Amino acid sequence: HKGQEGTAFINEDETEFHDLVSNAVSSCLNVTETLVRLKAPDKLLQSSICHALSLISSSACSCKEAQIAFFKKPRIESWLKVMLLRSENESLRRVTASLLYKACEVSLFGQTMSNCSVLSCDLAHGLLEILTTMLEILFSWDEDHLPEDKGKLVVQRRNVGEFFSLIAGLLHLISIHGIESKEKKMAVELRIAREASKQLYYHRFCENLGHESTDYAFIGLLHLIFVLILHSPLNLETICSNFYELSGKKFSLVHFLYCQCLFAESKERDENRKEQPNEIFPALGPNCKTEESRSATYALLVQMISAPSQGQALLEELLSYMKKRRKIPQDVTQNEAEIVLFGDMSWKWDYDPASLLKEGGLPGGLINLSATCYLNSVLQQLYHTSDFSNQLLAINIGLDPLNRDENQELLLKMQVLFASLKVNQRRYHDTLPFCKAFMDYDGNPMRVNEQKDAYEFCIMLIEKLERTGPKAQRLIQKVFGGMLQYQTFPNDCTCTHTSSNEDPFLIITADIQGKDSLSEGLDLFTKFESFDGDNKYECCRCMKYV
């Protein structure tokens, strides 16, 4: 409560009041943390968080003891870890970050509009200090990679987006409304800038084409760096120089954002960053594959080149990378160029990774390299024969390339292609590795610009697969093997002898031109043929033409 002249007063028993408020703040922290650990229903959690943070923010802005209770370690760090980093409930993390931000925003706005106590500002500064300390030991991970340093704050990668965004929001609030000295603000910003550049360099990208895999941790980190650069050119210099040093002076932040996050350049990227054992690079295309992450990357680049001090130099660097973009080779078709450029269309200025995705439920296609429609037709038929493709993928031909002959290498490339068709959500798939492994009778790779007969190619492919070993031989015979029976019946009523011959087969051809269905083509294949005149059949028993 405040008096008419703005001086704060409380009831006569001041100590009892302070104890009451401190206990209330402590209870709020304990209750909400317990509800999260017990996995309480979402509505109960969000309602409890709203009421608890409202009480905490109002208490902390009016009573020093309440702030002491709120910032008491290790309680507050444990609470923030549970609510912002460890909780698997995304909506809860967002509500917590949003309410903490609003509490600080209200307190800072009220402090600037009226000359009240500095307690309101202490809430934002104290919270930012704790979050910065947590940032310095943060290690985001996935299920396959754990840090060796036990002193790290280990959280799952998908859970840190709200954490980064809250730091960015508090930093922005304090820069605009805070009452701290310029030197102190600068020290806090530089501390966060150094750690943010480190987090960005070691970040593991998790976006994949065809999956709901937006990398919110990366987006939150970019947002934090955006805010740092927005408030001080010195922060930009610190982030760029620290990032460059972490890379071993091999590539800059602009190169990383443009050449690796937005437009993939796999060879250069792998060579430059091979010394990072924990880094995982995407198997396809640039690091940023969703609209959200690409928009955040573009926004950061624009902010960087708009900086008053370093902006022009960064713009010139960016333009140099644009000029070095790979061009379509003169001696290949457009489809081949798409394969050469890391299997996508990143040479186009309107490149969008999402455009490579197939629509839900539709099968994936195969790229026509020039005149390989016959090859695509055969491979698609083999792949969609599930008994064959599933068992083909189960054949183990070994990992050592020195122990594989050319037929086994072809089998491996075929397995890779079928696996890509099965699990990858791309609209079309690359057959060039398969074509390079398919050797003709002279030992030369397949010429993709020469049209061939699909039947002859299929026969040759099966022969090569059978040479890889007994497993492939048994599979081919089991799925495609059969017997053709040729029967001959006499037209002459004086002869009653019939003849029958059987031949094994793997492939039969059916004429479907002008037919309404495959069944009509097969009916034509098994249609009786009459031998008349000079074409009469000679019965080996009757010794006459019948």
Side-chain angles (χ1 to χ4, degrees):
H1 301 281
K2 298 183 183 297
Q4 293 181 352
E5 296 181 0
T7 58
F9 69 91
I10 53 178
N11 61 23
E12 296 178 357
D13 194 348
E14 184 175 343
T15 303
E16 182 179 351
F17 175 79
H18 289 167
D19 291 342
L20 179 64
V21 173
S22 299
N23 291 334
V25 170
S26 299
S27 298
C28 288
L29 296 175
N30 292 334
V31 169
T32 51
E33 182 176 348
T34 301
L35 289 174
V36 173
R37 293 184 184 277
L38 294 177
K39 299 181 179 180
D42 289 351
K43 289 186 178 180
L44 175 60
L45 274 175
Q46 294 188 19
S47 176
S48 302
I49 291 295
C50 290
H51 291 301
L53 289 180
S54 297
L55 176 59
I56 289 173
S57 61
S58 59
S59 301
C61 292
S62 60
C63 175
K64 186 66 175 180
E65 285 72 15
Q67 279 199 11
I68 294 174
F70 180 74
F71 291 121
K72 187 176 181 180
K73 296 182 180 182
R75 176 187 295 162
I76 182 58
E77 290 185 356
S78 173
W79 186 83
L80 289 171
K81 290 176 186 176
V82 171
M83 306 301 292
L84 285 176
L85 296 172
R86 298 277 169 79
S87 174
E88 294 296 323
N89 189 325
E90 182 180 348
S91 61
L92 174 63
R93 297 195 306 271
R94 289 186 178 181
V95 167
T96 302
S98 176
L99 290 175
L100 283 172
Y101 174 80
K102 288 180 179 179
C104 296
E105 184 181 36
V106 169
S107 65
L108 282 170
F109 182 74
Q111 186 273 334
T112 55
M113 294 301 292
S114 61
N115 190 22
C116 66
S117 170
V118 297
L119 291 175
S120 57
C121 191
D122 288 344
L123 178 62
H125 282 285
L127 185 57
L128 181 61
E129 177 69 24
I130 293 175
L131 293 175
T132 304
T133 302
M134 294 169 63
L135 175 65
E136 291 175 338
I137 61 172
L138 183 67
F139 186 95
S140 58
W141 64 286
D142 54 24
E143 288 75 2
D144 299 326
H145 296 79
L146 291 173
E148 297 179 358
D149 187 351
K150 295 183 179 180
K152 291 290 186 181
L153 170 57
V154 182
V155 297
Q156 292 199 29
R157 180 176 51 203
R158 62 177 178 269
N159 292 357
V160 299
E162 295 79 11
F163 176 80
F164 289 137
S165 295
L166 178 58
I167 295 179
L170 293 176
L171 191 63
H172 181 66
L173 278 178
I174 292 175
S175 298
I176 296 177
H177 302 293
I179 61 176
E180 295 288 347
S181 65
K182 182 178 180 180
E183 292 75 15
K184 189 171 183 179
K185 285 183 181 179
M186 185 178 300
V188 172
E189 289 180 356
L190 292 179
R191 180 184 171 191
I192 297 176
R194 285 191 292 268
E195 190 58 38
S197 61
K198 180 180 176 182
Q199 291 282 343
L200 182 63
Y201 180 75
Y202 287 107
H203 180 74
R204 295 194 190 93
F205 292 88
C206 63
E207 293 186 347
N208 295 298
L209 291 175
H211 299 81
E212 296 179 0
S213 58
T214 302
D215 196 340
Y216 291 108
F218 179 70
I219 295 173
L221 193 52
L222 293 186
H223 182 205
L224 174 57
I225 296 175
F226 182 95
V227 172
L228 287 165
I229 297 174
L230 178 66
H231 290 297
S232 173
L234 185 59
N235 293 332
L236 174 59
E237 182 180 350
T238 300
I239 292 171
C240 289
S241 61
N242 196 45
F243 192 92
Y244 186 63
E245 291 294 332
L246 287 171
S247 71
K249 299 184 178 181
K250 294 179 179 177
F251 58 94
S252 65
L253 180 57
V254 173
H255 180 279
F256 169 73
L257 294 174
Y258 183 80
C259 299
Q260 300 177 24
C261 294
L262 293 176
F263 300 95
E265 292 189 8
S266 59
K267 291 183 179 180
E268 185 175 3
R269 175 180 56 189
D270 288 342
E271 292 173 358
N272 285 341
R273 304 188 71 175
K274 63 185 179 181
E275 297 178 1
Q276 298 181 52
N278 293 327
E279 189 67 53
I280 301 175
F281 291 107
L284 170 68
N287 291 328
C288 297
K289 297 180 176 67
T290 62
E291 181 180 354
E292 295 89 343
S293 64
R294 295 180 67 81
S295 297
T297 306
Y298 276 118
L300 179 57
L301 277 173
V302 171
Q303 184 61 36
M304 290 172 63
I305 63 178
S306 302
S309 58
Q310 289 184 280
Q312 182 175 353
L314 295 177
L315 177 59
E316 291 175 356
E317 181 186 357
L318 180 61
L319 291 174
S320 69
Y321 296 138
M322 292 180 177
K323 293 178 181 178
K324 292 179 182 178
R325 290 286 300 281
R326 298 186 188 180
K327 304 298 182 181
I328 304 177
Q330 301 261 336
D331 56 343
V332 295
T333 65
Q334 178 173 321
N335 286 333
E336 284 183 297
E338 294 173 4
I339 301 167
V340 171
L341 301 181
F342 207 50
D344 55 34
M345 295 182 292
S346 60
W347 51 274
K348 293 186 176 182
W349 289 109
D350 58 350
Y351 168 60
D352 177 15
S355 65
L356 302 176
L357 300 180
K358 63 184 181 182
E359 297 180 10
L362 295 179
L366 300 176
I367 299 174
N368 186 354
L369 303 182
S370 180
T372 57
C373 51
Y374 68 94
L375 176 143
N376 293 354
S377 176
V378 171
L379 291 178
Q380 287 281 22
Q381 291 184 57
L382 294 177
Y383 170 73
H384 284 93
T385 306
S386 57
D387 287 343
F388 174 75
S389 58
N390 290 337
Q391 295 181 62
L392 186 76
L393 289 172
I395 297 177
N396 184 5
I397 59 175
L399 298 177
D400 188 1
L402 298 178
N403 295 328
R404 291 196 298 263
D405 58 26
E406 65 178 47
N407 295 317
Q408 291 174 328
E409 189 68 24
L410 176 66
L411 172 58
L412 177 62
K413 293 298 187 290
M414 192 171 179
Q415 288 177 322
V416 171
L417 179 61
F418 281 6
S420 179
L421 286 167
K422 184 177 290 291
V423 303
N424 199 301
Q425 298 300 310
R426 293 201 63 182
R427 180 174 296 177
Y428 52 79
H429 300 263
D430 179 9
T431 59
L432 187 60
F434 174 86
C435 293
K436 288 182 177 180
F438 193 98
M439 302 296 176
D440 59 20
Y441 293 113
D442 296 326
N444 299 318
M446 174 187 297
R447 294 192 178 104
V448 297
N449 57 353
E450 291 184 3
Q451 180 68 41
K452 295 184 179 180
D453 181 73
Y455 176 80
E456 293 178 356
F457 167 74
C458 188
I459 291 293
M460 189 174 180
L461 174 60
I462 288 179
E463 290 177 352
K464 289 178 174 292
L465 294 177
E466 286 185 318
R467 296 192 193 113
T468 61
K471 291 184 179 180
Q473 293 175 2
R474 289 193 295 268
L475 173 61
I476 292 172
Q477 291 297 329
K478 176 183 176 182
V479 176
F480 301 113
M483 298 295 294
L484 277 177
Q485 187 179 65
Y486 298 91
Q487 291 182 318
T488 306
F489 300 92
N491 288 327
D492 193 338
C493 59
T494 60
C495 177
T496 58
H497 304 132
T498 62
S499 64
S500 178
N501 296 317
E502 290 184 349
D503 292 323
F505 77 92
L506 293 174
I507 301 174
I508 58 176
T509 59
D511 184 7
I512 60 173
Q513 187 174 3
K515 306 294 187 297
D516 295 330
S517 65
L518 177 61
S519 297
E520 291 186 16
L522 293 175
D523 289 340
L524 181 63
F525 181 80
T526 57
K527 183 179 180 180
F528 280 95
E529 181 180 359
S530 178
F531 297 103
D532 298 319
D534 295 338
N535 292 327
K536 279 189 175 183
Y537 172 74
E538 182 180 8
C539 178
C540 59
R541 296 186 182 181
C542 299
M543 302 302 294
K544 65 178 183 178
Y545 292 96
V546 294

